[in-house]
Amino acid sequence: MPPVAGELTGSWLRRVALAHGLPAQDLIRGVLSGSQAVQVTGTPHTALEAYLNAPARALLAGFTGIPLSRLHELLPGLGPTHPRLSDDNGPQAAWYSPTHAWVTACPPCTGRAWSPRQPVLVYPGEVGHICRRHRRWLLADERKAASIPLSTLPDVLAAHRDHVALSRLPGAAGAMALASAVVWSWQAQRWHGDRLWSQRTSALASLTGCSTAGVAAHALIAYPEAVKVAELLSNHDWQRRLRETASRHGLNAAQTQALESVGHRVKRPWLADWLTAHTHTRRFDKGEHDSLRWWLQRLTHPHVPPGEELWHMPAGLDRPAAYGDRLSFLTDVRVRSVIGDARSASLTGGWQPVPIRHLSSG
């Protein structure tokens, strides 16, 4: 039973154990048992991902008959050795939470690997959160296959097609994370009357059975706009024009020019005027939260950071990673009850734009 490409090691071990009629913990101990004592930290009941040190990985390859090099290709979490494990003193394994966002794999795509008793869990990477073949946004639920049908959300599918093309460019992941932070700053200003977001929110609530308040923080809502902004941020001709404007007329003029371009790209031509009049809400009352202006300062600096350095954001700029943290900005009702509703619909986990972190705070 080979792993599915991108699968969590813990997911694969659970499936192998199920096929042998064993608990996953017993399977690991059996595979790693030998002349030395086996150290296994945690249990499959407390965490989803299984981490193995080098001796344990070698034993696993020998047990399955799959070359270790192939296991490394298929299982992103298999190596290198987790910081809390050591390659000394024999085989070691541990169950910890995944360090990256994961989703339930599309059942039709995973074929015979899929089972109602043990869904296949995978790391979606930069663009694997949507199955274009079956038109579904994949969600994170360790108990069952969960996804959102996108047949009534063609703009999300179209955005994913553009995202796939964008992902082939250098620095695309950083541009997408920054664009998501920029769009998030607009969401946090509570654009209740925004037609496109209202339509997507209603559609997602209908598709999932979740309340509109519960779906408001999901990445799908602003995904098309984030992709559009990322495309613009990555455009070298546009970057050059912004630098020329900043050189001749100053940073404020470049920011106005950028906002006008972004507004037309995301079908909100009023954006520049609106943001000029309403620069920040009370929740975003510090200048460092203006991620677009921060990026413009880097772009128009005499020494423009090379390559991916252009996208290295300070921690205070990015979109909140936790679903509950985003909900606290978007609703006035009690977050605990709303997030419970979202969790029951499998909306609280899954793909997130991952920022390239800047080492400094400025």
Side-chain angles (χ1 to χ4, degrees), residues 167-239:
S167 68
R168 302 187 182 105
L169 302 177
M176 186 64 188
L178 178 64
S180 297
V182 171
V183 176
W184 161 251
S185 71
W186 307 339
Q187 285 182 284
Q189 295 182 63
R190 311 268 190 106
W191 291 1
H192 292 304
D194 187 81
R195 179 179 57 84
L196 294 174
W197 285 347
S198 296
Q199 289 175 349
R200 281 186 217 127
T201 300
S202 298
L204 184 54
S206 176
L207 291 168
T208 60
C210 187
S211 66
T212 55
V215 305
H218 195 272
L220 179 153
I221 301 300
Y223 180 67
E225 286 76 18
V227 174
K228 293 287 187 186
V229 173
E231 288 178 320
L232 198 53
L233 294 174
S234 302
N235 187 296
H236 293 292
D237 288 338
W238 188 68
Q239 293 177 10

Side-chain angles (χ1 to χ4, degrees), residues 14 25 40-48 94-96:
R14 284 182 174 89
Q25 195 79 326
V40 181
T41 304
T43 72
H45 302 292
T46 59
L48 289 177
W95 293 90
Y96 296 131

Side-chain angles (χ1 to χ4, degrees), residues 263-280:
H264 286 289
R265 182 64 69 95
V266 299
K267 300 180 181 179
R268 291 164 177 85
W270 44 265
L271 178 65
D273 290 339
W274 194 95
L275 287 177
T276 299
H278 304 82
T279 53
H280 298 287

Side-chain angles (χ1 to χ4, degrees), residues 102-117:
W102 56 274
V103 297
T104 308
C106 176
C109 290
T110 51
R112 288 180 294 178
W114 183 83
S115 166
R117 296 171 59 191

Side-chain angles (χ1 to χ4, degrees), residues 15 90 126 141 148 173 194 197 203 205 237 264 302 310 336 356:
R15 294 196 297 111
E126 193 174 340
D141 194 324
I148 300 167
D194 187 81
W197 285 347
D237 288 338
H264 286 289
L310 182 62
R336 182 173 298 180
I356 299 175

